Amino acid sequence: GNSVTQMEGPVTLSEEAFLTINCTYTATGYPSLFWYVQYPGEGLQLLLKATKADDKGSNKGFEATYRKETTSFHLEKGSVQVSDSAVYFCALSFSGTYKYIFGTGTRLKVLA
Amino acid sequence: ETGVTQTPRHLVMGMTNKKSLKCEQHLGHNAMYWYKQSAKKPLELMFVYSLEERVENNSVPSRFSPECPNSSHLFLHLHTLQPEDSALYLCASSQDLRLGSDPYNEQFFGPGTRLTVL
């Protein structure tokens, strides 16, 4: 079946540290891959996406590259800020469908 | 109001109570969704509506009853819930049901209702 696995949190970093949140997936076919972010007290917001192998999604300093050979879509940011503290969800979906398969989420805490 | 709004934001109820969650989207979308978010578990899709018709009922117990009176409003009626139903309930909307690679069609989520069942 299709699934998404994320590293367990919380991930705690100091401001300006480098961030990596790992995400791997299992899928039959060729899904699109997503990162969603959930700030405290808010709903999920789309952070970035990639629709085919080797695509790089980027937004707000965050990047993730669709790696078909390793079935991964790791989220990275070169210098995190306190305002990046949130829960990050990796997800996959197939073109033309409305279903996302989400990971369990990874909580990020950035300390000043 | 903009985006997707949900009320109430917090709800505490006993197992014998009846309550309703409300979702409203101000985006002109045609599809609406209910999700359940529990700690350390992936989001669970509960119900999907397109143009006010239910297209998905994901093996959800009958103590949860959705209602979509129009394309802007979605309700989740709750009755005789169990403590394990305590969770964050998220509403979302999208232009239509075709997600995936379409760059202009994503789901927009509301802030959720934190439900506690005593």
Side-chain angles (χ1 to χ4, degrees), chain B residues 26-41:
Chain B
H26 309 267
L27 300 167
H29 288 167
N30 293 317
M32 297 187 77
Y33 311 77
W34 278 118
Y35 287 88
K36 178 182 179 183
Q37 183 180 5
S38 303
K40 298 189 178 181
K41 293 176 68 175

Side-chain angles (χ1 to χ4, degrees), chain A residues 98, chain B residues 21 23 25 29-35 45-58 60 64-77 91-99 105 107:
Chain A
Y98 55 79
Chain B
L21 309 185
C23 173
Q25 58 96 0
H29 288 167
N30 293 317
M32 297 187 77
Y33 311 77
W34 278 118
Y35 287 88
L45 180 63
M46 301 175 70
F47 300 104
V48 180
Y49 278 82
S50 175
L51 296 171
E52 300 135 52
E53 287 198 21
R54 191 190 309 179
V55 298
E56 176 99 12
N57 178 352
N58 210 11
V60 179
F64 295 91
S65 175
E67 179 189 2
C68 187
N70 55 62
S71 59
S72 298
H73 294 86
L74 185 64
F75 294 89
L76 188 62
H77 304 299
C91 175
S93 70
S94 64
Q95 184 60 51
D96 57 46
L97 295 180
R98 296 174 297 110
L99 300 177
N105 192 19
Q107 286 186 13

Side-chain angles (χ1 to χ4, degrees), chain A residues 8 32 34 36 38 41-46 49 51 87 89 93-100 102-105, chain B residues 9 33 35 37 40-43 45 48 55-56 88 90 97-103 106-111:
Chain A
E8 281 208 31
S32 295
F34 305 82
Y36 274 83
Q38 185 178 32
E42 299 184 15
L44 278 69
Q45 303 173 26
L46 179 64
K49 66 192 287 186
T51 59
V87 181
F89 292 89
S93 183
F94 291 92
S95 178
T97 73
Y98 55 79
K99 292 190 180 183
Y100 285 110
F102 285 93
T104 53
Chain B
R9 294 294 307 274
Y33 311 77
Y35 287 88
Q37 183 180 5
K40 298 189 178 181
K41 293 176 68 175
L43 267 71
L45 180 63
V48 180
V55 298
E56 176 99 12
L88 182 68
L90 293 168
L97 295 180
R98 296 174 297 110
L99 300 177
S101 62
D102 187 329
E106 65 179 85
Q107 286 186 13
F108 291 81
F109 287 80

Side-chain angles (χ1 to χ4, degrees), chain B residues 76-92:
Chain B
L76 188 62
H77 304 299
L78 315 171
H79 64 97
T80 59
L81 294 191
Q82 305 298 311
E84 60 264 29
D85 296 323
S86 298
L88 182 68
Y89 288 84
L90 293 168
C91 175

Side-chain angles (χ1 to χ4, degrees), chain A residues 54-68:
Chain A
D54 299 325
D55 269 2
K56 178 186 284 188
S58 61
N59 187 23
K60 299 181 181 179
F62 291 89
E63 293 183 340
T65 301
Y66 189 144
R67 301 284 188 201
K68 185 182 171 190

